[in-house]
Amino acid sequence: MSITLTMPRLSDTMEQGTIIRWNVKEGEEVASGAIVADIETDKATMEMQAYDDGVIAKILVGEGTQVPVGTPIAMIAEEGEDPGSLEASAPTGPATSAEPAADPPAAEAAPAPIPPPPPPVPPSTAAPRPTEPVAEGGRMRVSPVARRLAEEHGIELRSLVGSGPGGRIIKRDVLAAVETAGANLEGASGDVAPVAIPVPSASPGDQSLAATTGSTVHAVPSLESTEVAVSGMRQTIARRLVESKATIPHYQVKMRFSMDALMELRSSLNEKLAAEGVKLSVNDFIVRACALSMAEHPMFNASWAGDRILVHGRVNVGVAISLPEERGGGLVVASIRDAHLKSLRMISAESKHLAIKARDKGLATEEMSDSTFTISNLGMFGVDDFTAIINPPNSAILACGAAIEQPVVRDHQLAVGWEMAATLSLDHRVIDGAMAARYLKTLKGMIEEPMRLLA
């Protein structure tokens, strides 16, 4: 009996998924546990496994297509079955293109009809057209977004060759045609006579300026706007951040830390640990300092629950990780569990492992869940200071800027030292201003006396 692969639920909040890439082809044998596809969820790009041995009989959903959880996306023929004899059922549910469309998305099984043919032209002037991207039944295969972009920019769809599944014209095909048309326009602009715009008569004192600038202004081609498809992850980020700002009464408390002792200790430790391939980052020290401070101030390890406040038993520090733009960009929060019980070396190793996995393959659900406090660090980009939006259900997030060597006052004397600015964004329903000040005072002590972090 054949096996139907459906869009899996890869995160607790996932409702739809986008097939970024198929790692198998029709007719290819697969074994149980083989990675058959890369799926973009609302949180990350994750791998999908096959749970049975067999042959890929039919791929029902093409790459770049977003479908609801539970939608059939492929069929596997088991041993003894003829893959060619299996009847592929069309995906059920509102399958849509991964690209946003102004009009309701058309299902792959029912592509949009061909527009009426243009008026006939005399044979002497008619130019041969490229082969149209048509599917069975004589209908063009065009995504809704591609059709809309073509109409906006005056691109003739019949002149394009689709690069999508089955020769379907997709957004990038239209954008490439727009770019080519723009380049042709720019190349031809040298043959266009400049547009003369009348210049008001100048006063005698302005004659030299008029003589210098001339009385003709050349028209400059306007820049073309482009659209960027919103990934499932970006949609989730937008939804959660709007929800956070709309439902959580944010306020910020800022403090500056002297980093002299920490930078000196870090340099000394890294020199001793270099032979073992260990390199501690400033963020590793901050994670441990925050975790130890949370253990002393339990309300920073709590969540608002409507009619009560939940104080969590485990200290799980979330670390914000930016994803590369070539993988769609976005942001994920990796959870370092029981951070107050882990050494600097353990925190460093776990942070590096999670960051590499997030950017290369995507994190599993359990690696992104249950954080009780979040750290967002832009210091590596040279940012002085900033504020961050709380990551629900957390009640606080610490935004860290760069450790900067600058003029400072030490023992009533002007000197050069390392300083870092950090800003706490807080949920006022859980944490009051005085509580925030006491937490920052404890954190400041940990950072400015970093030997305490080695205990």
Side-chain angles (χ1 to χ4, degrees):
M1 184 177 180
S2 64
I3 302 165
T4 301
L5 295 180
T6 61
M7 176 61 70
R9 187 181 298 277
L10 298 174
S11 72
D12 53 348
T13 58
M14 177 179 173
E15 297 178 358
Q16 295 180 322
T18 302
I19 299 175
I20 299 299
R21 179 174 63 252
W22 281 106
N23 299 317
V24 294
K25 299 178 181 179
E26 292 184 0
E28 182 176 334
E29 294 186 4
V30 293
S32 176
I35 306 300
V36 297
D38 293 339
I39 306 292
E40 182 188 67
T41 72
D42 58 343
K43 292 184 176 180
T45 299
M46 305 174 72
E47 296 175 337
M48 174 182 170
Q49 298 182 2
Y51 294 98
D52 297 279
D53 298 341
V55 176
I56 301 295
K58 187 69 175 177
I59 292 177
L60 305 177
V61 177
E63 294 179 351
T65 304
Q66 185 182 74
V67 295
V69 170
T71 301
I73 58 175
M75 298 182 68
I76 295 180
E78 294 185 300
E79 184 177 357
E81 286 186 304
D82 179 12
S85 65
L86 298 182
E87 293 186 2
S89 58
T92 59
T96 67
S97 169
E99 301 165 322
D103 300 322
E108 189 67 31
I114 297 180
V121 296
S124 59
T125 60
R129 296 186 178 277
T131 303
E132 298 177 8
V134 294
E136 296 180 4
R139 294 180 175 181
M140 293 183 67
R141 298 172 61 88
V142 186
S143 75
V145 172
R147 184 179 297 280
R148 179 163 53 84
L149 282 175
E151 292 175 355
E152 291 177 357
H153 296 284
I155 300 298
E156 177 59 62
L157 288 172
R158 291 185 179 82
S159 67
L160 304 181
V161 177
S163 63
R168 188 186 194 196
I169 295 176
I170 58 178
K171 178 181 176 181
R172 64 168 173 259
D173 301 322
V174 179
L175 292 180
V178 171
E179 184 177 351
T180 301
N184 293 338
L185 176 62
E186 183 178 353
S189 62
D191 300 329
V192 178
V195 179
I197 301 178
V199 177
S201 58
S203 62
D206 295 332
Q207 293 300 322
S208 59
L209 176 62
T212 302
T213 60
S215 59
T216 301
V217 178
H218 295 273
V220 178
S222 61
L223 297 176
E224 293 288 344
S225 299
T226 59
E227 293 184 0
V228 178
V230 180
S231 65
M233 179 187 296
R234 179 60 63 183
Q235 292 174 3
T236 300
I237 290 173
R239 184 178 68 251
R240 285 176 59 83
L241 293 184
V242 169
E243 177 186 350
S244 176
K245 289 292 286 185
T247 61
I248 298 177
H250 283 62
Y251 74 102
Q252 285 77 33
V253 179
K254 179 177 176 180
M255 186 174 282
R256 301 190 71 85
F257 304 136
S258 170
M259 302 291 286
D260 294 344
L262 191 150
M263 298 299 284
E264 184 178 351
L265 177 61
R266 172 178 176 257
S267 178
S268 176
L269 291 175
N270 281 341
E271 185 177 344
K272 296 176 181 177
L273 296 173
E276 302 177 42
V278 177
K279 185 176 182 180
L280 303 176
S281 69
V282 172
N283 204 64
D284 298 331
F285 287 85
I286 295 174
V287 169
R288 178 153 170 78
C290 285
L292 292 175
S293 300
M294 290 164 65
E296 292 189 25
H297 300 271
M299 296 307 288
F300 280 77
N301 201 43
S303 300
W304 178 257
D307 58 349
R308 63 197 187 281
I309 294 174
L310 299 178
V311 180
H312 305 291
R314 302 179 67 180
V315 177
N316 301 333
V317 177
V319 179
I321 301 172
S322 62
L323 303 180
E325 293 186 7
E326 57 268 22
R327 288 178 58 85
L331 187 76
V332 295
V333 176
S335 183
I336 300 179
R337 300 173 185 271
D338 300 313
H340 64 304
L341 302 177
K342 295 180 177 178
S343 67
L344 286 169
R345 290 185 61 168
M346 295 172 66
I347 291 173
S348 177
E350 189 169 345
S351 297
K352 288 182 175 64
H353 167 74
L354 291 171
I356 292 173
K357 185 178 179 185
R359 290 167 180 149
D360 291 348
K361 300 171 59 177
L363 298 176
T365 302
E366 59 271 16
E367 293 170 321
M368 298 184 288
S369 59
D370 301 330
S371 68
T372 56
F373 181 96
T374 304
I375 297 172
S376 181
N377 192 338
L378 293 179
M380 65 286 294
F381 298 107
V383 173
D384 291 345
D385 63 81
F386 67 105
T387 59
I389 299 175
I390 296 172
N391 178 38
N394 296 177
S395 295
I397 182 171
L398 184 71
C400 298
I404 302 174
E405 198 172 19
Q406 60 186 10
V408 295
V409 176
R410 299 281 190 261
D411 298 325
H412 306 288
Q413 298 291 326
L414 186 63
V416 176
W418 293 90
E419 292 221 336
M420 182 187 77
T423 304
L424 265 176
S425 293
L426 303 138
D427 184 344
H428 217 319
R429 299 171 300 180
V430 180
I431 301 170
D432 297 327
M435 298 164 62
R438 287 193 289 269
Y439 176 85
L440 283 175
K441 183 178 179 180
T442 301
L443 181 62
K444 182 181 179 70
M446 295 278 184
I447 289 177
E448 296 188 350
E449 300 175 27
M451 292 298 293
R452 297 166 59 182
L453 304 177
L454 302 181

